[in-house]
């Protein structure tokens, strides 16, 4: 698939007057990737705060993902505490290091500081997972790998020095792009940085079915990082909007989610720790959003 299929950069913002109450979810004490029932799952905040909370409740999710530079005024303690209490685990992806930009260790520290400050008030530090960067292979060729890997090593050092106890996830690699995950995984400098993280990050996107590229990246992950757990930090069924009835889209999304969480490739079942689906503003007329949404039931289409 070409770059356009994986360019997902237009999002709504959180409503300024959103309610902030969120009940504390029970902490989960096991994260075994060998049993599908233990997999962590939930949405990525790409629409409104209220819709995000509703998606968590409707899908019975135990994992959420946000981006440190999107949406809520994360310097606000109310938003931070509401997020920390929303699900047992939270992934926070940095804004720095996104696609065409190298990771800036100082920016990483500044972006993550409020999340760490408030999350650790209500739960252990290891319930906060820091995803460093995003899809560096999307627009950049192989000459970007070495400098990006250097910035990833420096950012890992910065997180270790400032936020003891958190877990780290390597940047989600796009299934399609100017350079491939094979290029990145074969680079020893990048590979060494990934192995310093607790999880390997990657993105799963399919068309009307479970895309063959997914199985290819599964083989690459298992081959290059044997025994290491993965997180699908974005996943979704990219179904071209053509007036497809909602019920049909729901059924396809449920089947796709089921393959990730329960009935997929044996390596997915053994090594996938968790997944966050690309949660969309289901009311948006934007064709990009329509390609991913599963209205009218929204998150039920991606219920694990």
């Amino acid at each position: 698939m070409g770059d356009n299929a994986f360019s997902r950069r237009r999002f709504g913002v959180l409503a300024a007057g959103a309610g902030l109450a969120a009940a504390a979810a029970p902490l989960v004490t096991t994260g075994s990737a060998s049993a599908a029932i233990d997999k962590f799952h939930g949405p990525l905040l790409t629409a409104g705060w209220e819709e995000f909370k509703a998606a968590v409740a409707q899908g019975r999710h135990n994992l959420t993902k946000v981006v440190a530079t999107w949406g809520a005024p994360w310097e606000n303690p109310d938003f931070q505490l509401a997020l920390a209490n929303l699900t047992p685990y939270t992934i926070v992806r940095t804004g720095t290091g996104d696609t065409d930009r190298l990771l800036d260790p100082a920016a990483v520290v500044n972006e993550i500081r409020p999340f760490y400050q408030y999350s650790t008030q209500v739960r252990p530090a290891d319930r906060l997972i820091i995803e460093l960067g995003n899809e560096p292979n999307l627009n950049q060729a192989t000459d970007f790998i070495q400098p990006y890997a250097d910035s990833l090593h420096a950012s890992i050092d910065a997180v270790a020095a400032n936020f003891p106890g958190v877990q780290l996830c390597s940047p989600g690699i796009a299934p399609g792009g100017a350079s491939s995950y094979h290029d990145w995984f074969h680079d020893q400098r990048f590979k060494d940085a990934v192995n310093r993280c607790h999880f390997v990050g990657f993105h799963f996107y399919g068309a009307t079915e479970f895309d063959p590229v997914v199985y290819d990246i599964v083989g690459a992950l298992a081959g290059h990082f044997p025994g290491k757990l993965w997180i699908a930090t974005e996943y979704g069924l990219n179904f071209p909007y053509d007036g497809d009835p909602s019920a049909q889209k729901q059924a396809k999304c449920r089947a796709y989610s089921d393959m990730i969480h329960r009935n997929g490739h044996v390596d997915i079942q053994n090594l996938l720790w968790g997944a966050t689906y690309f949660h969309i503003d289901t009311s948006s007329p934007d064709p990009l959003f329509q390609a991913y949404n599963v209205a009218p039931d929204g998150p039920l289409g991606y219920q694990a």
Side-chain angles (χ1 to χ4, degrees):
M1 296 185 185
D3 290 358
N4 290 341
F6 299 98
S7 180
R8 301 171 301 279
R9 305 293 171 226
R10 292 171 289 168
F11 306 102
V13 295
L14 294 171
L20 301 176
L27 293 180
V28 178
T29 57
T30 175
S32 169
S34 62
I37 195 65
D38 289 337
K39 291 190 186 303
F40 291 93
H41 52 89
L44 164 61
L45 176 55
T46 51
W49 175 252
E50 292 300 323
E51 184 175 14
F52 184 59
K53 291 193 298 181
V56 171
Q58 190 174 22
R60 302 192 298 276
H61 297 304
N62 52 14
L63 173 67
T64 46
K65 175 180 169 178
V66 301
V67 179
T69 53
W70 292 352
W74 294 120
E75 69 278 5
N76 184 324
D78 290 335
F79 275 87
Q80 285 287 352
L81 290 171
L83 177 67
N85 281 308
L86 194 58
T87 53
Y89 284 88
T90 305
I91 299 172
V92 179
R93 197 262 281 173
T94 64
T96 182
D98 188 358
T99 55
D100 302 324
R101 296 176 295 160
L102 297 177
L103 284 152
D104 177 349
V108 169
V109 172
N110 288 335
E111 289 177 16
I112 299 305
R113 182 176 288 114
F115 294 92
Y116 183 82
Q117 177 184 353
Y118 293 101
S119 179
T120 54
Q121 290 182 19
V122 299
R123 59 186 178 178
D126 65 359
R127 304 306 169 94
L128 182 64
I129 301 169
I130 308 305
E131 182 182 11
L132 293 166
N134 178 67
E135 297 188 346
N137 66 310
L138 185 65
N139 302 319
Q140 296 289 336
T142 55
D143 59 356
F144 192 58
I145 300 176
Q146 283 282 320
Y148 197 93
D150 289 341
S151 75
L152 180 55
H153 277 283
S155 297
I156 292 170
D157 291 338
V159 170
N162 288 275
F163 310 116
V166 301
Q167 299 199 76
L168 285 173
C169 181
S170 65
I173 298 294
S179 52
S180 77
Y181 43 86
H182 293 292
D183 296 323
W184 287 73
F185 292 168
H186 275 103
D187 184 275
Q188 192 61 49
R189 181 69 171 160
F190 180 74
K191 193 170 180 176
D192 288 343
V194 173
N195 278 321
R196 295 180 65 192
C197 298
H198 300 86
F199 302 100
V200 186
F202 68 100
H203 293 170
F204 266 177
Y205 282 95
T208 56
E209 298 179 30
F210 205 54
D211 198 299
V213 74
V214 170
Y215 290 122
D216 186 58
I217 198 170
V218 163
L221 287 163
H224 285 283
F225 306 102
K228 198 171 188 69
L229 294 178
W230 319 332
I231 301 178
T233 53
E234 289 183 24
Y235 84 92
L237 181 73
N238 182 13
F239 190 84
Y241 182 66
D242 59 359
D244 183 43
S246 295
Q248 185 180 358
K249 293 181 75 175
Q250 282 281 339
K252 289 176 179 176
C253 287
R254 286 180 188 237
Y256 189 72
S257 181
D258 191 56
M259 293 189 80
I260 289 176
H261 291 290
R262 292 186 176 86
N263 301 320
H265 188 286
V266 63
D267 286 330
I268 298 176
Q269 296 315 309
N270 288 335
L271 294 170
L272 182 69
W273 178 88
T276 49
Y277 70 88
F278 194 71
H279 181 241
I280 303 301
D281 177 0
T282 57
S283 64
S284 174
D286 190 314
L288 175 68
F289 286 6
Q290 289 289 345
Y292 288 94
N293 81 35
V294 285
D297 295 325
L300 289 181
Y302 287 118
Q303 184 171 306

